[in-house]
Amino acid sequence: MAYDLEFEKPLAELEKKITALQRKGDRLKPEEHKQLQELEGELTRRTAEMYKNLTSWQTAQVARHKDRPYVSDYIKFMCDDFFELHGDRAFGDDHAIIAGPARLGDKSVMVIGHQKGRDVKERILRNNGMPHPEGYRKTYRLMQQAEKFGMPVITLIDVSGASPSLMDEERGQSEAIASNLYLMARLRVPIIATVIGEGGSGGALAISVANRILMLEHSIYTVAAPEAAASILWRDAIHAPQAAEAMRISARELLPLGIIDEIVPEPAGGAHRSYQQAAENLKAALLKHLDELKQMPLDTLLEQRYQKFRAIGKFGRIEIAEASSIS
């Protein structure tokens, strides 16, 4: 895949030189063959170095990459016997949510995730991955089924936000999201949520009240998109890069804060470079955490989930004497 992001221009230049040499095929001279090997090594090295030091705004660009693997891709590479279920039994089906039982390794799980579209037709069908209320009511129904049959819930998050249209509000968007939050807080099975791309606003939170929250290395998790935050704070979306840095939206910034529990490594250059490798990394992390959660007594599992979200945003109190000395 081409290096097509703005910050990848130096890598794109290297890639052009490599491609030009590769096109010669068997006509490569010995010195050109050596040059090709050196350029390929340099590209690999510079890619790894660049992606190790991405800014928050650059991470957002990678998380939104048009070729990044979506939920359906992870299901294809990670799961066996996935059977998609449809409908909320009240209004209709929402194609922005893919959900159903599957086998993950030797475990039966309920997989739920946001699904974006690749082309214009699919983006319209999937509403750009932004669920309607019926999408969240579908997840509510299937999480209840998971609890009934003792199946852990695996959620894959990739959404800029829930659908904000007037019709969605009229059909109870906020109530559907709130109902999911309430259900997930008390669901009597292990829950693992993973941000695989964008994790934006209430649309992401609606399926991320979990015992463990994982993030792919180059994904983002935030209360609002950087562009929206910039429009609010500076009245101009042009300040989105500045907002991204201030909001601390990348996985490496959120892990020390206790918002997430693990960073899942991606292939060099992002998950879109190798769907299979990205899926294998995520599958290994999911199975590890499932094994750990399975060992917990049910009461401990529920209490751990409760305490996890009670602790988010917690800060220490400065003692009066200490505060006086500071002043």
Side-chain angles (χ1 to χ4, degrees), residues 18-64:
I18 292 171
T19 303
L21 288 171
Q22 287 174 336
R23 283 175 180 163
K24 291 187 176 183
D26 296 335
R27 295 180 290 110
L28 273 177
K29 298 175 183 178
E31 61 271 19
E32 289 177 324
H33 184 71
K34 182 181 179 182
Q35 182 186 9
L36 176 60
Q37 289 180 323
E38 290 174 351
L39 287 172
E40 288 175 337
E42 185 180 358
L43 180 62
T44 300
R45 179 184 59 79
R46 291 181 63 178
T47 298
E49 185 178 336
M50 177 179 288
Y51 271 76
K52 192 182 295 183
N53 299 290
L54 293 182
T55 66
S56 293
W57 178 241
Q58 289 169 340
T59 302
Q61 292 176 281
V62 178
R64 296 167 173 173

Side-chain angles (χ1 to χ4, degrees), residues 261-274:
D261 299 287
E262 184 178 341
I263 300 173
V264 180
E266 296 187 24
H272 55 284
R273 298 283 163 192
S274 174

Side-chain angles (χ1 to χ4, degrees), residues 153-256:
V153 173
I154 304 294
T155 69
L156 302 176
I157 299 160
D158 189 13
V159 64
S160 58
S163 184
S165 74
L166 177 60
M167 289 185 295
D168 292 312
E169 295 297 341
E170 290 174 340
R171 292 203 301 274
Q173 182 71 289
S174 58
E175 183 275 334
I177 292 174
S179 293
N180 270 16
L181 301 181
Y182 181 65
L183 175 65
M184 294 184 81
R186 58 190 172 89
L187 205 67
R188 299 172 69 82
V189 292
I191 308 173
I192 303 176
T194 304
V195 182
I196 61 171
E198 289 186 272
S201 193
L205 186 60
I207 60 170
S208 63
V209 179
N211 295 96
R212 304 283 167 83
I213 300 178
L214 317 181
M215 281 183 73
L216 263 67
E217 186 178 2
H218 305 306
S219 57
I220 60 173
Y221 192 34
T222 174
V223 69
E227 295 88 345
S231 296
I232 294 169
L233 294 173
W234 295 288
R235 302 292 189 268
D236 195 336
I238 198 172
H239 296 291
Q242 183 180 349
E245 298 305 319
M247 293 166 70
R248 305 179 73 175
I249 61 178
S250 68
R252 70 175 182 275
E253 293 169 309
L254 293 172
L255 183 63

Side-chain angles (χ1 to χ4, degrees), residues 56-96:
S56 293
W57 178 241
Q58 289 169 340
T59 302
Q61 292 176 281
V62 178
R64 296 167 173 173
H65 197 284
K66 60 182 178 62
D67 295 321
R68 194 169 176 84
Y70 293 154
V71 168
S72 58
D73 300 309
Y74 283 103
I75 289 173
K76 175 184 175 182
F77 284 103
M78 291 196 311
C79 300
D80 298 313
D81 302 324
F82 174 70
F83 188 84
E84 186 176 359
L85 298 175
H86 301 272
D88 66 345
R89 304 298 186 265
F91 181 83
D93 189 33
D94 184 358
H95 299 287

